[in-house]
Amino acid sequence: MTISTDETFAADTDSPWLVGNARLIDLSGQLLGAHVAHAGLIMFWAGATTITEVTRFTFGVPMYEQKLILLPHLATLGWGVGAGGEVIDTYPYFVIGILHLVASAVLGAGGLFHVFRAPRILYNGGGQVAKFHYEWNDPKQLGLILGHHLIILGLGAFLLVLRAMFFGGIYDTNLGDVHLISNPTLNPVTIFGYLFGIKDGSWTPLGMASVDNLEDVIGGHIWIGFILILGGAWHILVQPFGWVRRLFPIQSGEEILSYSLLGLGLMGFIYAVFAGYNTTVFPREFYGESRLLMANIQFFLGVLALLGFGWHNWRSRHTN
């Protein structure tokens, strides 16, 4: 059987630019290419911005006064930082920037391959390629894709854990230095209490952003890493239950995109609270005292993602 490419999602609209990559919604190979190419663009931005910030970095001047965007995050991870949060070496930043540029080239090549050489629909490629094809109303295949994404996210959480516990440590503003987190908090009452705003037995409106020590931060990443990996394995092996499919109906890529944007919106709001109020995850040494602009940008992006959720969710209900 060969699946036709004659009709795509954008065929029924006079504004395909507004639909974006949804025009590829029935072309699994082309959509994969766009997905990989977007990852390459993100990597390129991160690498190029990091290198640019390294070239104009001034020692002895706080990062926030230099209006740096990415280097404060790398410094928070303990790269190139000494006592008191003083940057003593920018070479690690340069290496990280170059690695991102190399990764962007690989991802960009992968995206071009899927656009120009690979089958437009993976099913038509046959063999192993066909196994990666998906239909939007096939819960088993979508569960397989979701499961692998969750596992990769879980492994990403453990990369931070490994860095903090075994490979150099991260910057602790409470101690004013980089050190290994040798005793992360694993008590589920403490860790999951943050989800309900419970900190030291009292409720706080800051919720997770009330965390004030890196032991809890790294312990939380250990928990979330295991949850993501176990959740990924679950979705690979078990199809969504009927009540889940009724609660989150999926008949097209529009629904999946809308749910993804809803998740991004939630992350944007959480990030805004952390950026504005938390000095453990966002140390004053690198981000300064006033982070209102950074918090507002994240809040705006959260609102934008939430509007995107509403737009694509509405389209999913009027174009199916």
Side-chain angles (χ1 to χ4, degrees), residues 274-297:
F274 266 93
Y277 296 98
N278 190 282
T279 57
T280 300
V281 178
F282 292 91
R284 296 183 180 89
E285 293 88 335
F286 309 130
Y287 299 93
E289 291 287 348
S290 176
R291 282 82 62 85
L292 182 61
L293 176 60
M294 182 170 60
N296 283 341
I297 290 174

Side-chain angles (χ1 to χ4, degrees), residues 251-288:
Q251 295 297 323
S252 72
E254 282 286 328
E255 279 110 345
I256 291 182
L257 177 57
S258 69
Y259 300 147
S260 299
L261 288 169
L262 180 61
L264 284 176
L266 176 61
M267 293 301 103
F269 297 141
I270 293 174
Y271 188 108
V273 178
F274 266 93
Y277 296 98
N278 190 282
T279 57
T280 300
V281 178
F282 292 91
R284 296 183 180 89
E285 293 88 335
F286 309 130
Y287 299 93

